[in-house]
Amino acid sequence: MALVTVTDPARDYLAQLIEKQDVEGMGVRIFVTQPGTKNAETCLAYCPPNEVVPTDEQVDLEKFTLYLDHNSVPFLEEAYVDYSKDQMGGQLTIKAPNAKVPKIDDDAPLPDRVNYVLASEINPNLASHGGEVSLVEIVDESVAVLRFGGGCQGCSAVSLTLKQGVESTLKERVPEITAVRDVTDHSNTENAYYQ
């Protein structure tokens, strides 16, 4: 079963919301839309008894049942739901680090492990500048050939990003990688974050 952590404050908050629905047996379903893609989003929704799917995994949270959408389970590994009170009322936070790419084993093929690190660690950071990076291929058994896009393509800081960000992270997380090579055409600066 997928490991989804729901903190006590989140459980209590969701239980209060469910109680207001006044539906006997109401639960909450957690699922990922477009799982395994860069557009993946983790969602929570009410789950009345007539909408329970037999293949859903069920987690008894004492105050209600959490239903894990069967197709989303690999992408919900290590998901975390929390609630914190603030001046405006509160903030429900859902983090699912494997929503865009399911967690893979240490013995997975090298390209899969590189893609996992790109999707789960590097691209979320580049997204703040509208950028992204993708694996083109692995050459010489240890060199990751990458292509930058979005705000990274043509960006004047891409060499710094490549060496200090992308390459150092990949080499740390995937020890078989000894170097990275950028094959992006950086002459196109139309979307560059820094020109």
Side-chain angles (χ1 to χ4, degrees):
M1 178 170 66
L3 177 62
V4 176
T5 301
V6 180
T7 65
D8 289 344
R11 185 195 63 204
D12 295 344
Y13 175 72
L14 291 169
Q16 289 174 5
L17 293 177
I18 289 169
E19 192 175 306
K20 292 177 184 175
Q21 298 304 304
D22 198 28
V23 174
E24 184 68 33
M26 177 74 81
V28 172
R29 173 176 280 110
I30 186 168
F31 58 96
V32 180
T33 61
Q34 299 183 47
T37 71
K38 66 180 184 178
N39 298 319
E41 290 193 28
T42 307
C43 308
L44 290 174
Y46 293 118
C47 185
N50 64 332
E51 291 182 14
V52 173
V53 178
T55 57
D56 284 349
E57 291 190 19
Q58 298 182 22
V59 179
D60 181 4
L61 296 178
E62 295 177 23
K63 298 181 178 189
F64 63 91
T65 300
L66 179 68
Y67 298 95
L68 308 178
D69 172 67
H70 176 74
N71 292 331
S72 300
V73 166
F75 303 92
L76 291 171
E77 189 74 32
E78 299 178 2
Y80 180 81
V81 182
D82 189 25
Y83 178 79
S84 57
K85 291 184 178 183
D86 60 27
Q87 295 172 343
M88 302 299 287
Q91 175 77 32
L92 185 67
T93 304
I94 308 167
K95 293 183 180 180
N98 301 302
K100 296 181 188 314
V101 178
K103 189 167 184 175
I104 58 170
D105 294 328
D106 291 338
D107 60 353
L110 185 58
D112 291 353
R113 290 183 284 138
V114 169
N115 280 322
Y116 176 76
V117 173
L118 291 176
S120 65
E121 295 184 45
I122 294 171
N123 279 331
N125 292 325
L126 296 178
S128 66
H129 293 175
E132 65 182 8
V133 64
S134 59
L135 177 67
V136 175
E137 64 181 332
I138 304 283
V139 296
D140 300 329
E141 297 182 11
S142 65
V143 178
V145 178
L146 306 174
R147 178 170 288 118
F148 286 88
C152 292
Q153 184 176 4
C155 179
S156 62
V158 76
S159 61
L160 184 66
T161 300
L162 179 67
K163 289 294 180 192
Q164 291 185 1
V166 176
E167 184 174 46
S168 63
T169 301
L170 278 176
K171 288 167 73 174
E172 179 183 329
R173 301 285 191 270
V174 186
E176 295 91 331
I177 295 297
T178 59
V180 297
R181 188 178 308 147
D182 181 10
V183 295
T184 310
D185 175 9
H186 288 290
S187 64
N188 180 353
T189 60
E190 185 177 320
N191 297 316
Y193 189 76
Y194 293 113
Q195 299 219 3

